[in-house]
Amino acid sequence: MNSHQSVKLIKFADDTTLIGLISNGDETAYRREVARLVSWCGHNNLQLNAQKTVEMIVDFRKVTAPLPPLALMDSPITIVDSFRFLGTTITRDLKWEPTISSLIKKAQQRMFFLRKLRKLKLPPRMLAQFYTAIIESILAPLSGTD
């Protein structure tokens, strides 16, 4: 469906992500792909929800100029500083901290249950199995050992 090499369309289940590289301030290809996506959805009986659609702009230039707002079916699209994509928080400065903080919080919550099980005198082997299945499984992607 993509017609321009600087724009990438990613579809996963009922979520669609359109990524556009805008060079030299020319966002023509990006906006054309948005229009093509809207048209394709219309022709394939798929409904886009403008209220659930967001745009995030990652721009590392020293001097930035505001881009004209993007509209989807005549509804303005909200510009956000971050969003969740397949369990990962992506921020406009591309920092990992929000994702790592979220995983650490989830691991700490699960450690609570491990301590409760230890207090109930579960055998060490069962505690290790609980740890591996419930806690290590969310931390392994951080260490690159999944």
Side-chain angles (χ1 to χ4, degrees):
M1 185 170 146
N2 282 12
S3 66
H4 198 277
Q5 65 185 14
S6 69
V7 181
K8 178 77 175 162
L9 180 71
I10 303 169
K11 292 185 245 178
F12 183 79
D14 64 345
D15 285 336
T16 302
T17 301
L18 191 64
I19 302 170
L21 173 62
I22 298 170
S23 299
N24 301 322
D26 182 12
E27 56 187 271
T28 308
Y30 171 66
R31 289 184 180 269
R32 185 174 34 242
E33 287 302 316
V34 170
R36 282 173 42 92
L37 175 62
V38 170
S39 175
W40 183 88
C41 288
H43 287 94
N44 289 281
N45 298 318
L46 296 172
Q47 212 173 49
L48 293 172
N49 187 339
Q51 284 73 37
K52 289 185 175 182
T53 302
V54 297
E55 181 178 35
M56 185 177 74
I57 299 168
V58 177
D59 191 345
F60 292 112
R61 296 177 299 173
K62 288 185 183 359
V63 178
T64 61
L67 297 172
L70 186 64
L72 189 64
M73 301 172 302
D74 297 326
S75 295
I77 300 301
T78 304
I79 296 177
V80 296
D81 290 330
S82 67
F83 71 99
R84 301 244 330 138
F85 180 69
L86 301 179
T88 301
T89 301
I90 301 174
T91 63
R92 61 186 305 261
D93 59 4
L94 301 180
K95 301 284 186 201
W96 282 103
E97 193 277 327
T99 295
I100 292 170
S101 293
S102 172
L103 289 173
I104 289 171
K105 181 179 178 184
K106 189 183 290 186
Q108 287 173 333
Q109 290 168 339
R110 293 175 182 197
M111 286 293 291
F112 169 81
F113 294 109
L114 181 62
R115 287 190 290 277
K116 288 288 187 188
L117 292 173
R118 188 179 68 190
K119 284 183 182 178
L120 294 172
K121 309 268 192 246
L122 259 67
R125 186 167 159 243
M126 288 182 80
L127 295 173
Q129 286 176 333
F130 178 88
Y131 174 82
T132 301
I134 305 301
I135 300 168
E136 186 177 31
S137 64
I138 61 167
L139 296 176
L142 287 178
S143 65
T145 59
D146 58 342

